[in-house]
Amino acid sequence: MPAAPVRPSVTDALLVLEGLLLRGGQRTARRNAWTAVLEDRRRAKDRHEAEHVLEAVSTGASQAT
């Protein structure tokens, strides 16, 4: 029985397309921008958790975070 052909994933196809359309500098800039977005999301999550802790401390209640 012949083996099924290997199909590239969507991620693989997008990476190939990115490589064709975006040259080194643009690709690096895009990657840096995405890293900044992820870091902003992490900081927002940390800030949100800190707000909950401060609210719990200020009200004297013990709330799970």
Side-chain angles (χ1 to χ4, degrees):
M1 179 171 210
V6 177
R7 294 178 56 203
S9 70
V10 172
T11 302
D12 293 337
L14 289 175
L15 287 172
V16 169
L17 184 60
E18 178 188 44
L20 294 173
L21 296 176
L22 302 176
R23 295 298 172 221
Q26 291 174 334
R27 189 177 324 143
T28 300
R30 185 170 159 230
R31 208 173 287 133
N32 288 344
W34 182 244
T35 300
V37 167
L38 295 177
E39 184 64 20
D40 286 346
R41 288 179 182 175
R42 186 195 60 78
R43 280 194 300 265
K45 179 183 173 203
D46 290 347
R47 185 173 53 248
H48 184 70
E49 290 174 357
E51 287 174 1
H52 281 287
V53 170
L54 290 174
E55 285 177 15
V57 169
S58 67
T59 61
S62 62
Q63 298 175 357
T65 55

